[in-house]
Every structure is written in C-alpha cells, then in structure tokens.
C-alpha cells in the first residue's frame, strides 16, 4: 500500500499478493475487510504478531 507499490510490484510477482495503489482510507479498505470477514480470514489481535521483513530491535 502506498507510493512504493509500483517499485515493489516489479520485484515480487505472485498471484497471492494484492497491491493497492491508492493511499489507504477507511473507504478504500472496507471492501477488502468485508471479503476477509466473509471468509473468516481474521486474527485475534490480542495474540497477533506482525511479520516484519527484518528483525525488530527495540530501543
């Protein structure tokens, strides 16, 4: 999502990825959220651990 999508899309070409070229707002993200909810593709945010491309270092 965002301004780097065009560059990144050329690096990683997989059909499983969805690229959003507009800046995220509640309106633009709503359709994707509803589809994920209908598929029960949700996570419990209390136990969710995000995936970072590089190792996280606090401090």
């Amino acid at each position: 999502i965002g301004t780097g999508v065009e560059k990144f899309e050329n690096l990683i070409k997989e059909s499983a990825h969805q690229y959003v070229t507009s800046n995220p707002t509640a309106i633009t993200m709503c359709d994707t959220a509803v589809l994920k909810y209908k598929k029960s593709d949700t996570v419990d945010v209390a136990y969710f651990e995000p995936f970072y491309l590089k190792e996280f270092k606090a401090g």
Side-chain angles (χ1 to χ4, degrees):
I1 295 177
T3 57
V5 169
E6 292 174 6
K7 295 177 187 176
F8 190 77
E9 192 173 16
N10 292 328
L11 295 174
I12 307 249
K13 296 184 181 196
E14 292 186 23
S15 61
H17 293 148
Q18 179 181 1
Y19 297 98
V20 179
T21 55
S22 64
N23 290 327
T25 63
I27 300 263
T28 59
M29 295 175 66
C30 187
D31 292 337
T32 303
V34 169
L35 288 174
K36 289 180 81 63
Y37 178 76
K38 286 181 178 179
K39 292 180 183 178
S40 296
D41 185 11
T42 59
V43 296
D44 186 347
V45 293
Y47 303 102
F48 178 73
E49 187 173 324
F51 171 74
Y52 296 104
L53 293 177
K54 58 184 177 180
E55 185 177 339
F56 175 74
K57 295 181 182 177

